[in-house]
Amino acid sequence: MITLTRAESPGLRSRMDWMLAAAALGLCTIGTLAILSAASPLPYYGRVVQTHFVALAVGVLAFGHRSWLRLGHVTFQPTAMACICMVLVLASFLDKRANKAHTMPVFLLAGALVAPIALLILKQPDLSSTLVFFVMTLAMLFCAGASVSHLACLAGYGAVTLGLPVLWTLLSYRPEIAASPVAAFLAGLTHPGLRLLLAMAGIFAAAALLWRVCALARVPIHWIYFVTASLVLAAGLASAVVVNLQMKVYQRSRFVAMVAPEADSQGAAYNVNQALVAIGSGGLAGKGIFQGTQSHLGFLPERHTDFIFAVVGEEMGFWGACGVVLLYLLLIWRVVSAARLARDRYGFLVCCGIAAMFAAHLLINVGMCLGLFPVAGIPLPLLSYGGSSLVVTLWALGIVVNVYSRHYAFL
Amino acid sequence: MGAAVTGGRTPLYDRLEVLWTLCYCAGAVLALRLFQVQVAQNMEYARAAERNRTQMIRKAAPRGRIYDRSGDVLATSQAAFSLIYMPGKQNDDAYLQRLARDLTPSLKGDYEVILDSLKRSVREESAIRLAENLPPHTMFQLSELKTIYRGIDLIVEARRYYPYGASLAHLLGYLGRMDERDWKLLKREGYRVDARIGKLGLEKIFERDLRGVDGGIRMEVDAQGRLKRVLENIDWQAGANLHLTIDGKLQRAAEVALHKSPSGKGAAVVLDPRSGRILALASVPDFDPNQFLQPESSANLKELPEFNLATQGTFAPGSTFKIITSAAMLNEGKVDPHDGIYCPGYYDAGKRRFLCWEKKGHKHMEFLSGLANSCDVYFYRMGIKTGGDLIEKYEHMFGLGTKTRIALPGEKRGNVFGPQARAARGLSWHDGDTCNLAIGQGEVLVTPLQMAVVMGAVANRGVLWRPYFVERIEYPGDRPEYRQKPEELGRVQLKPGTWALLDEGLQLVVKSGTGGQVFTPGLVIRGKTGTAQNPQGGDNAWFVAYANKEGSQEPEIALAVLVQHGGHGSAAAGPVAKKILHAYFGVEDGAPAPRVAKSTAAAAALPAALLHELRPAQPPTRAR
């Protein structure tokens, strides 16, 4: 279906072999696993949660992530697997409650279903995978017909949870801004304590006050909105404190590198800078395949995994990079088409989830290479080197093919 | 599983369409950003990538050489080993401190200084020279360290070398480190932070010509700094060569003679009266420009005698000024050269008594004997007869008080003394001042170079040449060489009879007068001694002259010698002038020149007589 499997790895034959083996393994799993999993996905759920606990317990420390699982000679990233499982589980769950998808209880239950896996990944810590998870969940709930206001609450909650730690980090790097009273107040909320409680109470009081003002001004807004808004804010604040405590120094510096690259040109900003130089120096037509100086002379870090798009940009230029983006959009479009043609709601939702997964990976990875997004350890599916990612991607595509083929009557 | 969604699925498809639209809009944003980075900003990123992958190893161009008129090398370059540091990936403070600590014993340097240099190099992202001209045993120690530490390297470099050491130091100048201000100005011109630049003299004036264009090897390197391949090998372009008018042998003879003079301080200027070419320009005390290239000697830079007495020192001309007084009185017809006076040893001008340097008096004197014996009373009386205004006019005619426009910075113009100059300052002029002026005392101040130019004009009967010392500049490549043409500063128009009389008088000075010291058979030397009193110390001794070989008509050489605080002109400056003349004309210095037996001339050598000329009647009206 897609022949993007160009391993632009630094010529290491063993890596190529391993990649090909993974591809073969992936293709084998497509047929078998896909059919099985599509038939009854729920038993996998327990397996996934179990796998993550194992990953945390005996996980191999690789790149600062405790996300690699070692089985004999083979290391494996369970996070990638979790994506597929989450899609299947959530699709199945929402399919069964098709008529009540817009109600609050279903929405909350769906959240409760996803939360343990998301928390486990966050604990690893893998902020970017959590973000992918979040995007996928939102997309699937949206496509399943969940209430937009519920989704807005969830998005708001997520924004506060992830946004506040980023804000705090930036404030700590910019003391001149932190000196202002508002910033000082915000910066003081990083740790649980009396001040935090006061802030939460303040949120509720402010909401109540605003409601009174609206009522007096005869602006007809239902009180439930104020309560919801303050609840979301307070919950977001609480989880932001947790996320902030969990955040590692390197993660913070990535945000800083994104906003103020001059602060640390040798550290976190180095990677993005070199990626930008690689892509920018490619020009319209590129330097020619295997002719990239940034990638082949070692200036571009992680060139065969996370920053592979920069290699494409450097060696194949603007046309090549646009071509890759277009091919991805084509791929996503095919997945979306499969969703449209799906015979049942389950297939539809699974395809939506997988499309969202691809889209999230594409946007985050390419955005990172182009300096639009903080550095995140997310591979570009089908292009980056990595067995786990390839197996999971092919698995996902297999499921899509499965859904697509079932729309014909003879299966 | 789920029931086929037929009627109710439309809104869900709409939602999917919304997401899909969002997705391809995001794709469009990516494409726009790609356009911005790859097409709009392509140039700057391409440059950044090029900077990343290429590294230059400089090949310093050899600095141009400096030759004297006979093609003898006065300044050249020699190969020498230097230790350099190139800041690499590992440049944290701990590494630099360790490196500095290990280098300190080998370089016999100061730990703090070495560390400072290393840090400066890292800050400027530019290679720095830690030591140069390394002896062999140090090199072995350092090549061991080279294997341990990244970034330090031993390189062969061209090092400036002046074969004759201190000779001509003031004119050649020297090379030195850039200070912060130079660095700010010059880093745009491709200088490296540790480059040496000309600090004085020719090295400074012709810095841009001498420097040449550096070449280098442009290499492709990987992120670890390992060489991948050589991209380009750019040859350096050597600096321009300077060919001077200076006669190296004459120059050294003048310097040796000045060093041996009573005070060991002074200046000598020798030029060709036919063109203004400077054959020697000596100033003592001097310094060895080679020592400026040793890094450790930079501490005692301040104490060095960079002051060029020949162009920057101004002194009263003393009796050598009588040449100008004579020109004025003879040419204006105020004095008949055969008019005689009687010198009793003093002259009373109004209430003041002016002494002759000969206490006993010269008895009967007329122009030729007066000039030959430097009789002060003759010039007092004839000066008053001529008038201060006329003498001042001739001072201007001979170019005193104006720069000779020699191409050296800091030249002094001296000072013209006379009624006009006095009036300009609102002061009145008296006969006593005329007496002082007539014998070159008072406020008149000249540089040795100005006196040499004056002697040149007397020798060639009128042309004041602009003195120059660069004959031609030889540029590398296709650029045509530059040739200096003689340039006139002005002409002194005197009657032929006046020139002839002056010539005869000056010849008599050497034949039978105060300059008898210098007399050399076979040479026709015209000279004049001078002993200028100096409120700051011992008298300054002058000897000015021009000469040619017997038989030839045209004088070939004009010179001015000043021995600071040397005492009497004939005793201190005379021998210096004589050695210069002998060196120029190739006269063997074995047998002493025949002494002139005349009593008046012999008297000049007597100490008692000396004292008198040293102490004229009136103390100087003004201090320098």
Side-chain angles (χ1 to χ4, degrees):
Chain A
M1 183 174 174
I2 296 290
T3 51
L4 268 175
T5 330
R6 267 194 328 270
E8 307 216 19
S9 59
L12 271 174
R13 187 134 295 250
S14 60
R15 285 193 182 174
M16 280 296 265
D17 292 347
W18 171 219
M19 193 75 179
L20 288 173
L25 186 69
L27 285 168
C28 291
T29 41
I30 282 176
T32 49
L33 266 175
I35 294 161
L36 285 173
S37 58
S40 65
L42 264 180
Y44 284 85
Y45 184 68
R47 194 81 43 87
V48 171
V49 179
Q50 217 177 344
T51 320
H52 271 90
F53 275 118
V54 175
L56 276 170
V58 289
V60 183
L61 262 159
F63 305 118
H65 293 238
R66 248 180 298 166
S67 55
W68 292 70
L69 194 61
R70 174 168 281 173
L71 303 165
H73 287 295
V74 184
T75 53
F76 191 74
Q77 266 187 306
T79 312
M81 191 82 91
C83 270
I84 302 284
C85 297
M86 199 278 291
V87 168
L88 297 180
V89 169
L90 195 60
S92 157
F93 174 82
L94 290 171
D95 179 44
K96 280 181 183 152
R97 289 152 187 84
N99 300 326
K100 292 177 274 182
H102 61 280
T103 58
M104 176 91 95
V106 172
F107 185 81
L108 288 179
L109 271 174
L113 203 59
V114 178
I117 307 178
L119 280 178
L120 280 177
I121 298 175
L122 194 63
K123 185 81 188 156
Q124 276 178 354
D126 189 346
L127 212 57
S128 32
S129 296
T130 319
L131 193 66
V132 172
F133 250 70
F134 191 67
V135 170
M136 280 164 64
T137 313
L138 276 184
M140 284 182 74
L141 284 169
F142 184 68
C143 289
S147 156
V148 178
S149 48
H150 295 164
L151 284 172
C153 286
L154 185 59
Y157 166 76
V160 173
T161 307
L162 292 178
L164 266 182
V166 174
L167 184 69
W168 286 328
T169 307
L170 294 180
L171 281 178
S172 68
Y173 275 82
R174 288 279 173 89
E176 71 275 8
I177 302 175
S180 76
V182 180
F185 174 75
L186 273 175
L189 297 177
T190 43
H191 291 280
L194 189 64
R195 198 195 284 232
L196 197 64
L197 281 176
L198 279 176
M200 285 185 179
I203 290 170
F204 285 109
L209 191 72
L210 210 61
W211 173 65
R212 271 312 292 164
V213 170
C214 284
L216 286 174
R218 299 187 187 282
V219 183
I221 300 175
H222 201 266
W223 58 268
I224 193 79
Y225 291 104
F226 291 100
V227 172
T228 317
S230 39
L231 272 174
V232 165
L233 267 176
L237 186 57
S239 46
V241 171
V242 177
V243 170
N244 189 51
L245 290 175
Q246 291 292 320
M247 219 152 61
K248 298 285 179 287
V249 174
Y250 74 90
Q251 288 174 324
R252 289 178 199 284
S253 61
R254 285 171 178 180
F255 293 122
V256 177
M258 161 104 183
V259 180
E262 70 282 353
D264 183 15
S265 66
Q266 282 299 309
Y270 176 83
N271 294 3
V272 186
N273 224 344
Q274 294 298 343
L276 268 177
V277 168
I279 296 174
S281 63
L284 264 182
K287 296 176 183 168
I289 292 179
F290 302 125
Q291 301 297 311
T293 55
Q294 284 287 101
S295 45
H296 288 276
L297 296 174
F299 294 101
L300 186 65
E302 303 291 334
R303 59 190 175 281
H304 57 292
T305 55
D306 297 348
F307 281 102
I308 194 149
F309 185 77
V311 179
V312 174
E314 185 184 21
E315 300 191 346
M316 300 169 77
F318 177 66
W319 300 124
C322 280
V324 167
V325 172
L326 266 179
L327 282 175
Y328 270 107
L329 288 178
L330 187 70
L331 176 67
I332 296 166
W333 176 64
R334 290 309 300 159
V335 178
V336 168
S337 305
R340 287 203 198 100
L341 290 172
R343 201 164 60 176
D344 49 25
R345 182 189 280 264
Y346 175 69
F348 168 79
L349 287 175
V350 165
C351 287
C352 286
I354 289 171
M357 182 177 86
F358 280 128
H361 275 95
L362 172 72
L363 296 179
I364 294 174
N365 184 286
V366 175
M368 165 189 84
C369 288
L370 289 170
L372 297 172
F373 200 84
V375 174
I378 282 193
L380 197 54
L382 297 173
L383 207 53
S384 291
Y385 169 81
S388 319
S389 163
L390 186 63
V391 169
V392 168
T393 308
L394 289 177
W395 182 11
L397 288 177
I399 295 169
V400 174
V401 172
N402 190 309
V403 170
Y404 182 75
S405 49
R406 279 175 192 224
H407 102 89
Y408 293 113
F410 56 82
L411 254 171
Chain B
M1 211 170 259
V5 200
T6 43
R9 59 199 264 176
T10 324
L12 295 190
Y13 283 108
D14 285 350
R15 287 187 166 202
L16 182 61
E17 291 310 317
V18 169
L19 287 187
W20 169 232
T21 312
L22 276 179
C23 180
Y24 70 66
C25 285
V29 169
L30 291 183
L32 277 176
R33 172 71 176 164
L34 274 172
F35 183 84
Q36 184 199 3
V37 172
Q38 296 198 285
V39 182
Q41 301 176 342
N42 172 245
M43 291 302 282
E44 62 189 81
Y45 283 118
R47 267 199 297 274
E50 200 60 22
R51 268 202 306 277
N52 260 349
R53 78 166 178 128
T54 57
Q55 210 168 54
M56 262 310 246
I57 287 191
R58 285 285 189 118
K59 290 198 289 189
R63 204 171 166 85
R65 293 179 179 185
I66 303 178
Y67 298 95
D68 80 347
R69 66 184 308 196
S70 56
D72 203 7
V73 176
L74 299 176
T76 182
S77 299
Q78 270 190 337
F81 279 94
S82 294
L83 180 74
I84 60 162
Y85 172 73
M86 286 188 287
K89 262 200 158 177
Q90 197 176 14
N91 54 23
D92 52 294
D93 278 1
Y95 178 78
L96 295 183
Q97 279 162 12
R98 221 167 50 239
L99 176 58
R101 209 172 304 123
D102 280 355
L103 284 174
T104 308
S106 306
L107 300 181
K108 295 183 190 67
D110 188 19
Y111 167 76
E112 293 293 330
V113 173
I114 294 173
L115 187 62
D116 273 358
S117 310
L118 292 173
K119 281 184 177 163
R120 185 175 173 206
S121 162
V122 170
R123 203 168 55 239
E124 304 274 4
E125 290 177 359
S126 176
I128 199 156
R129 202 178 277 111
L130 293 168
E132 46 195 351
N133 205 18
L134 292 165
H137 67 273
T138 313
M139 271 177 54
F140 286 123
Q141 289 172 354
L142 290 172
S143 34
E144 274 177 34
L145 287 178
K146 196 179 136 186
T147 58
I148 304 169
Y149 291 102
R150 275 203 189 163
I152 65 167
D153 208 354
L154 284 162
I155 54 164
V156 184
E157 270 197 317
R159 179 176 160 273
R160 199 62 161 163
Y161 176 62
Y162 305 92
Y164 294 105
S167 179
L168 202 60
H170 287 96
L171 186 59
L172 291 176
Y174 60 89
L175 296 183
R177 284 172 197 271
M178 286 184 277
D179 56 31
E180 294 290 336
R181 229 182 63 220
D182 295 329
W183 169 234
K184 275 201 187 102
L185 286 170
L186 293 175
K187 66 174 155 192
R188 266 173 261 130
E189 291 179 33
Y191 281 86
R192 280 188 298 177
V193 66
D194 61 344
R196 299 299 159 92
I197 56 166
K199 286 286 198 183
L200 186 79
L202 292 168
E203 298 279 22
K204 183 177 184 181
I205 299 166
F206 293 98
E207 168 68 27
R208 281 186 171 71
D209 295 312
L210 288 168
R211 186 184 154 223
V213 184
D214 286 351
I217 305 171
R218 222 156 61 82
M219 306 173 304
E220 185 170 274
V221 293
D222 66 9
Q224 274 70 47
R226 285 179 301 230
L227 171 67
K228 287 292 172 182
R229 65 197 164 108
V230 172
L231 296 170
E232 204 179 353
N233 204 334
I234 309 159
D235 277 337
W236 44 254
Q237 205 178 15
N241 290 332
L242 298 184
H243 292 264
L244 304 187
T245 61
I246 301 289
D247 181 332
K249 280 191 197 123
L250 195 64
Q251 173 76 25
R252 289 189 289 283
E255 281 160 354
V256 168
L258 281 171
H259 274 293
K260 285 184 182 161
S261 69
S263 65
K265 279 193 274 184
V269 182
V270 185
L271 44 82
D272 183 338
R274 294 163 296 187
S275 58
R277 286 187 180 89
I278 296 180
L279 303 176
L281 187 74
S283 175
V284 170
D286 48 21
F287 54 87
D288 185 354
N290 286 315
Q291 66 177 296
F292 292 94
L293 290 162
Q294 317 290 343
E296 63 270 22
S297 69
S298 48
N300 50 12
L301 266 180
K302 285 275 181 312
E303 300 138 35
L304 276 138
E306 288 182 9
F307 189 79
N308 191 345
L309 287 173
T311 61
Q312 295 175 300
T314 56
F315 310 91
S319 297
T320 59
F321 187 82
K322 287 172 184 164
I323 297 169
I324 291 169
T325 312
S326 305
M329 69 194 201
L330 296 175
N331 203 52
E332 296 290 331
K334 298 284 182 191
V335 171
D336 184 324
H338 301 295
D339 276 358
I341 57 120
Y342 181 80
C343 166
Y346 58 87
Y347 170 69
D348 293 317
K351 287 177 197 160
R352 280 147 62 182
R353 169 165 288 196
F354 289 85
L355 292 180
C356 183
W357 66 268
E358 179 66 273
K359 203 179 183 181
K360 293 179 290 185
H362 287 97
K363 315 294 187 264
H364 285 284
M365 284 279 129
E366 51 188 62
F367 171 67
L368 286 177
S369 52
L371 187 64
N373 295 309
S374 201
C375 175
D376 290 336
V377 171
Y378 178 83
F379 282 93
Y380 294 147
R381 292 183 58 171
M382 297 307 169
I384 286 172
K385 215 167 167 185
T386 313
D389 286 307
L390 276 179
I391 301 176
E392 190 179 10
K393 179 181 153 197
Y394 277 75
E395 274 182 73
H396 284 297
M397 267 170 68
F398 276 98
L400 302 193
T402 51
K403 291 182 180 178
T404 64
R405 289 170 54 221
I406 189 173
L408 281 175
E411 192 198 354
K412 290 279 163 26
R413 66 174 74 245
N415 192 43
V416 166
F417 181 46
Q420 303 285 330
R422 264 285 168 82
R425 289 167 50 203
L427 299 167
S428 57
W429 183 262
H430 307 284
D431 274 357
D433 296 319
T434 310
C435 288
N436 263 333
L437 175 60
I439 61 156
Q441 292 294 158
E443 293 165 30
V444 59
L445 290 173
V446 297
T447 65
L449 180 65
Q450 278 174 328
M451 280 320 285
V453 171
V454 167
M455 286 317 279
V458 178
N460 65 33
R461 309 217 156 170
V463 183
L464 290 162
W465 291 107
R466 178 182 177 188
Y468 67 94
F469 44 79
V470 176
E471 185 68 53
R472 58 198 173 92
I473 305 174
E474 202 178 29
Y475 292 104
D478 297 334
R479 190 168 162 194
E481 68 171 23
Y482 168 84
R483 256 179 196 284
Q484 176 72 47
K485 286 186 200 73
E487 206 178 312
E488 274 183 34
L489 286 171
R491 262 172 201 271
V492 184
Q493 306 279 6
L494 300 187
K495 294 171 195 154
T498 312
W499 287 126
L501 266 170
L502 265 179
D503 193 84
E504 204 183 336
L506 293 172
Q507 212 166 325
L508 269 177
V509 170
V510 177
K511 268 190 187 157
S512 60
T514 51
Q517 259 267 9
V518 182
F519 180 79
T520 309
L523 298 182
V524 188
I525 302 170
R526 296 77 149 181
K528 182 74 196 81
T529 57
T531 308
Q533 47 164 185
N534 176 8
Q536 279 143 17
D539 292 356
N540 293 327
W542 281 95
F543 195 90
V544 296
Y546 61 94
N548 55 281
K549 271 201 163 133
E550 223 160 55
S552 84
Q553 292 304 305
E554 210 179 4
E556 298 170 37
I557 171 174
L559 60 86
V561 174
L562 169 88
V563 178
Q564 213 180 354
H565 315 311
H568 195 277
S570 72
V576 177
K578 188 177 176 183
K579 279 175 193 150
I580 293 172
L581 290 165
H582 285 191
Y584 181 82
F585 290 106
V587 178
E588 291 296 318
D589 243 349
R595 267 222 177 284
V596 181
K598 257 195 144 182
S599 62
T600 39
L606 291 172
L610 281 178
L611 283 173
H612 281 285
E613 201 187 10
L614 307 187
R615 207 159 289 124
Q618 195 199 353
T621 16
R622 85 180 255 276
R624 249 189 69 205

